[in-house]
Each structure stands twice: as C-alpha cells, then as structure tokens.
Amino acid sequence: AAHWAFIWTHYRQTYGASEEDLGSVALQLRHNASLNPNAVMQKPLTIEDYLGSRYVVRPLHLLDLCLVNDGAVCLILRRTDMAQDLPHVPVEIGGWGRAAIKGNKMHALVRERMRPQYQEAGRQALGMAGIALADVQHFEGYDASTIHLIDHIEGHGFVEPGSGLEFCKSGGMAIDGALPVNTGGGILSGSYMHGWNHVAEIVRQLRHEAGPRQVKD
C-alpha cells in the first residue's frame, strides 16, 4: 500500500483534499456492495467508521485498501459467430487498449497518476469500439485503493484533474449518477478477484441481470 499512500499524499497537497473526501469513495462502493448478494462486505459503512479504521500506511486507512479473500470468477469467451442461440445473451467486446509506464515509475504513479497511460489505452479501446468517451454510461475501474479509482476517473478524462472526489461526493459515481462506477462494490467491498469481478459485473449489467443495482437503460 506504500505507493498508494505517496499518491494520496501528493494529491492532497496538490488539490487540498481531505480524508473525509476520500472516504466518500469507500462509502459509495460499500453501498453498491450492499446491493450485491455476492459481495464480501455488505455491512453499511459510515464516514465515522471510515475515519475510525486504523491506518495501514498513513494517510491511508484500512478501508482505503482492497480486500483479501478467496473466490473465483469464470469467463467464457468464443467467437461472435459461435455465440448465437445460446442460453445467455452474449456480450460483445468492442475494443481494448494497452499502455505501459516508460521511465521513472514513481514519477508516473505519484505525479502523473498514470494519466498518460489511461489516455493512451482509452484512445485505443474507444477508437477500436468506434465510440467517444462521452458515450460511456457505466465504468468499472481497478480499485486497489480509493485514490487509484479516482486516478482512473480523472485520468481517462471523465472529470477534470482534482475534481474526482467532489464528483463522487455529489453522487456522480452512484448507480443512478452521471457515471455509475464499480456497481458491484468493486474490489474495495465486493471481492478481490484481481479485477475479473469487474468484468463479470459488466456482463451482468449489459444483460440486465444486476437486480437492485441495475444501471438504467
């Protein structure tokens, strides 16, 4: 968790954010998890609970960091022309992208917060899918820590740098918000499946099988 602590410290100093601000991310994902019967952590969470949780690496609390748990996710992929007339509606993969850190890793993580990598990977994926960022109506991001999820939201360009926490606090990342994020609780409260549970949640959402956490339309 040490590098996330560096990232959060730099973010706080740059934008003047508080621990209470960051706690809004943990609270939002716990609420989402409470609507997911597969989630590990479903107990309601308050900001007092968050602030009262022990520090793991200052200034990050226990509830800023992903779970450690057992579990499994199964994904079945096959060619589109072979995925017709099956018991479940197939979900097509529209695009993907990849970008790596080159040079000083800590500089890229802490000062740049991986924004160049998010921008490049997003450009590739959206270009392949033939859509714009504004077309995205549901986002699943790797939430190894609360601040890393904010790095995703800001890095891809959904909101301006420094405004991600206010976006979360105002309900922008809620299931009925402007950009529903990690609707199954992510890996902060849902389960730590190295991000594969995010893919399973996307499939459930696109099949309209998410129950009370279903994103509208």
Side-chain angles (χ1 to χ4, degrees), residues 1-159:
H3 58 297
W4 307 125
F6 277 117
I7 292 167
W8 172 225
T9 298
H10 184 264
Y11 190 100
R12 289 179 67 184
Q13 293 173 347
T14 303
Y15 301 111
S18 68
E19 290 188 8
E20 290 89 342
D21 295 332
L22 189 61
S24 66
V25 180
L27 266 62
Q28 181 60 67
L29 267 60
R30 179 62 62 86
H31 173 72
N32 294 354
S34 72
L35 304 174
N36 178 6
N38 292 315
V40 174
M41 304 298 287
Q42 299 185 36
K43 181 180 177 181
L45 181 66
T46 67
I47 193 63
E48 290 76 22
D49 296 329
Y50 166 83
L51 293 172
S53 65
R54 65 181 174 86
Y55 286 109
V56 175
V57 180
R58 284 183 184 269
L60 290 179
H61 290 267
L62 176 68
L63 299 177
D64 284 308
L65 302 168
C66 60
L67 298 172
V68 177
N69 59 264
D70 295 324
V73 175
C74 177
L75 301 172
I76 300 174
L77 288 83
R78 65 190 311 188
R79 287 194 335 235
T80 302
D81 61 353
M82 297 174 63
Q84 308 303 318
D85 302 321
L86 297 177
H88 301 286
V89 176
V91 171
E92 294 188 353
I93 300 171
W96 59 87
R98 181 182 185 276
I101 293 175
K102 297 177 181 179
N104 189 315
K105 183 177 181 180
M106 287 300 286
H107 175 82
L109 284 170
V110 176
R111 294 188 177 276
E112 296 181 336
R113 296 190 296 125
M114 294 180 66
R115 185 177 177 84
Q117 287 75 31
Y118 293 135
Q119 293 283 306
E120 175 57 23
R123 182 192 65 79
Q124 295 174 25
L126 294 171
M128 189 182 298
I131 62 174
L133 190 68
D135 296 323
V136 177
Q137 299 175 324
H138 164 219
F139 180 76
E140 295 284 324
Y142 189 71
D143 52 322
S145 69
T146 47
I147 189 59
H148 191 44
L149 185 57
I150 294 300
D151 283 353
H152 272 288
I153 299 299
E154 296 183 7
H156 281 293
F158 291 112
V159 299

